[in-house]
């Protein structure tokens, strides 16, 4: 369904391109056309209906989304480690990974009566679909994403990168005390009750000292 929408958008952009006369408008449409073509190219190929239905009916049980994983990298691969007890006892065909240039999704069928899935979209950098693979180890699946270029990845996905940049921007302010306040606010929001009590106590004490004139600057 999503792929059909993309194709319809592309057809409309192409039609508008044939009618546009202004260079700036044509440039914008051409850029959008290229973007849509790339997005369509990176969509996983649709499965034949009978295969999809057969796979759906063979699942049984209920499906669990995997959220816990570890990862590292070498010059050529990004490696994602997923712990699943007893996964090595399954037939190899029950552990499936589908790769695109910027994503992969994992499906583990019928492990102790449950199915497990994990999806990574918008990988930070492009990977080679042909060079990527998965390995089944004792109580673990290793997903090997082959890098298209041998370069260091700072994180796994584009979303993680944007999140880190926003967080860094919040702390990298011209006013050091403002950066400190942002850090304290984050610690307070994410901390347990003990952490909140500690921060509150420190805040009250610092204000008292400031009123007495012990601390000339406003923290």
């Amino acid at each position: 369904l999503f792929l059909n929408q993309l194709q319809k958008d592309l057809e409309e952009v192409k039609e508008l391109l044939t009618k546009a006369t202004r260079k700036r408008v044509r440039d914008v449409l051409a850029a959008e056309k290229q973007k849509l073509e790339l997005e369509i190219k990176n969509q996983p190929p649709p499965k034949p209906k009978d295969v999809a239905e057969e796979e759906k009916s063979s699942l049984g049980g209920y499906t669990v989304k995997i959220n816990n994983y570890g990862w590292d990298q070498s010059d050529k691969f990004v490696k994602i480690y997923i712990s699943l007890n007893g996964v090595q006892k399954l037939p190899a065909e029950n552990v499936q990974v589908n790769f695109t240039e910027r994503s992969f999704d994992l499906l583990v069928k019928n492990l102790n009566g449950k199915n497990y899935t994990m999806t990574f979209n918008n990988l930070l950098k492009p990977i080679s679909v042909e060079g990527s693979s998965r390995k089944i180890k004792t109580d673990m699946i290793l997903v090997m994403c082959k890098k298209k270029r041998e370069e260091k990845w700072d994180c796994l996905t584009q979303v993680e990168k944007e999140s880190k940049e926003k967080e860094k921007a919040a702390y990298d302010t011209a006013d050091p005390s403002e950066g400190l306040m942002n850090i304290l606010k984050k610690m307070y929001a994410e901390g347990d009750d003990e952490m909140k009590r500690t921060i509150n106590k420190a805040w009250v004490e610092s204000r008292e000292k400031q009123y007495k004139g012990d601390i000339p600057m406003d923290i």
Side-chain angles (χ1 to χ4, degrees), residues 202-218:
W203 173 254
V204 170
E205 288 175 356
S206 73
R207 300 306 289 181
E208 286 175 352
K209 286 181 182 178
Q210 184 187 343
Y211 293 142
K212 290 176 183 176
D214 294 342
I215 302 175
M217 71 175 182
D218 184 5

Side-chain angles (χ1 to χ4, degrees), residues 13-215:
V13 167
K14 284 180 177 176
E15 188 179 339
L16 289 169
L17 255 173
T18 62
K19 297 175 181 176
T21 55
R22 305 288 298 171
K23 182 180 183 304
R24 187 171 179 181
V25 174
R26 287 185 62 82
D27 287 348
V28 170
L29 288 169
E32 187 62 24
K33 173 175 170 283
Q34 190 175 10
K35 180 180 167 187
L36 284 166
E37 286 171 344
L38 185 61
E39 203 168 343
I40 289 169
K41 181 185 172 187
N42 286 339
Q43 288 293 310
K47 295 177 183 175
K49 191 173 179 183
D50 55 341
V51 173
E53 288 299 319
E54 183 185 329
E55 192 173 276
K56 192 174 178 182
S57 64
S58 70
L59 286 178
Y62 62 94
T63 300
V64 179
K65 189 173 180 181
I66 302 169
N67 293 312
N68 295 326
Y69 63 91
W71 75 285
D72 67 7
Q73 60 185 309
S74 62
D75 290 340
K76 295 184 178 179
F77 288 93
V78 169
K79 306 167 190 177
I80 296 94
Y81 301 88
I82 300 116
S83 295
L84 279 176
N85 288 336
V87 70
Q88 73 277 6
K89 298 172 187 174
L90 289 176
E93 62 268 20
N94 281 33
V95 181
Q96 302 169 358
V97 183
N98 293 315
F99 296 95
T100 75
E101 191 175 62
R102 293 295 287 271
S103 73
F104 75 83
D105 62 86
L106 165 71
L107 171 64
V108 180
K109 295 194 285 185
N110 197 22
L111 177 59
N112 301 322
K114 299 176 189 174
N115 311 300
Y116 294 84
T117 64
M118 170 178 268
T119 301
F120 274 92
N121 292 315
N122 299 311
L123 289 171
L124 186 66
K125 298 176 188 292
I127 61 172
S128 163
V129 174
E130 298 77 18
S132 298
S133 62
R134 61 102 176 100
K135 294 179 181 178
I136 302 170
K137 298 178 175 290
T138 304
D139 298 332
M140 179 182 288
I141 300 167
L142 171 57
V143 178
M144 305 276 290
C145 296
K146 175 75 181 297
K147 295 177 179 178
K148 275 212 167 176
R149 291 185 298 276
E150 293 185 16
E151 56 187 327
K152 185 176 180 254
W153 289 26
D154 295 325
C155 47
L156 271 180
T157 65
Q158 191 66 32
V159 172
E160 283 180 61
K161 182 186 177 188
E162 289 167 6
S163 175
K164 282 183 179 180
E165 285 173 350
K166 281 181 187 173
E167 195 170 293
K168 185 174 183 294
Y171 300 152
D172 290 351
T173 63
D175 181 353
S177 63
E178 188 182 334
L180 175 60
M181 283 304 303
N182 286 332
I183 293 169
L184 286 173
K185 284 175 186 174
K186 185 173 188 294
M187 287 171 65
Y188 188 88
E190 296 177 357
D192 57 17
D193 289 342
E194 185 64 31
M195 173 66 78
K196 288 177 180 176
R197 278 194 294 271
T198 303
I199 292 173
N200 279 332
K201 184 169 180 280
W203 173 254
V204 170
E205 288 175 356
S206 73
R207 300 306 289 181
E208 286 175 352
K209 286 181 182 178
Q210 184 187 343
Y211 293 142
K212 290 176 183 176
D214 294 342
I215 302 175

